[in-house]
Amino acid sequence: MSTPKTPGPTSTLPAASKAKKEASELTEQAKTAARDVAQNAASAAKNQAASAKSSVADEMSGVASALRTAAEEMRSGSPQERTFGQIAEGLADASEAMRNKDLSEMVQDVSAFARKNPLVFLGGAALIGFAATRFAKASSTQDPQIMLGSPGTEPHGDFS
């Protein structure tokens, strides 16, 4: 009866070494792939942020222009004319600052302002939130009568 040959301790070393080397190579490939994906995602996020920043700056510039036009049509020297003019200038300055700064600088500036003036920052954030909510409601494409269930409209679904 023959006994099966068992590999000796020296024959497992090359296999173990080869497996470690392959595992190390796979790990490096995975790290490189993950690094590439992260760089691509960061690049896409930067591009999206730049596009959004440009869009917001254009919108602010348009609002400033509309406020200037409104101020010009008001009685010269009136409080409303001065207020609209000041707001228009502030928006125009903010629009230019937004165009000339990158996102990280803007975040640092807002953060510094929030630390120095927390109540003003929170109040401004609340006002922006209210304005955004009103804008979203005003630009809603749904018919309000359908939403309220006015007479003559059929409900969607069986609620009985």
Side-chain angles (χ1 to χ4, degrees), residues 41-123:
S43 176
K46 283 182 183 179
N47 290 340
Q48 186 68 23
S51 174
K53 183 178 80 162
S54 176
S55 175
V56 168
D58 290 344
E59 192 68 30
M60 287 173 64
S61 181
V63 170
S65 177
L67 284 172
R68 276 193 202 105
T69 302
E72 290 170 1
E73 293 177 5
M74 293 182 176
R75 185 172 41 108
S76 180
S78 70
Q80 294 88 357
E81 185 260 343
R82 286 192 306 269
T83 301
F84 277 31
Q86 289 173 348
I87 293 171
E89 288 306 312
L91 282 175
D93 291 345
S95 174
E96 275 305 305
M98 186 176 283
R99 289 182 204 280
N100 296 333
K101 289 186 178 183
D102 69 348
L103 194 58
S104 64
E105 287 176 312
M106 290 172 30
V107 168
Q108 288 174 351
D109 290 348
V110 169
S111 180
F113 178 79
R115 274 191 235 97
K116 291 178 186 174
N117 307 298
L119 292 177
V120 174
F121 177 77
L122 290 174

Side-chain angles (χ1 to χ4, degrees), residues 15-40:
S17 174
K18 185 176 178 183
K20 284 182 181 180
K21 183 178 178 184
E22 287 178 9
S24 175
E25 289 174 2
L26 286 174
T27 302
E28 282 303 313
Q29 289 175 357
K31 285 180 182 179
T32 302
R35 199 174 308 123
D36 291 345
V37 167
Q39 287 175 346
N40 290 341

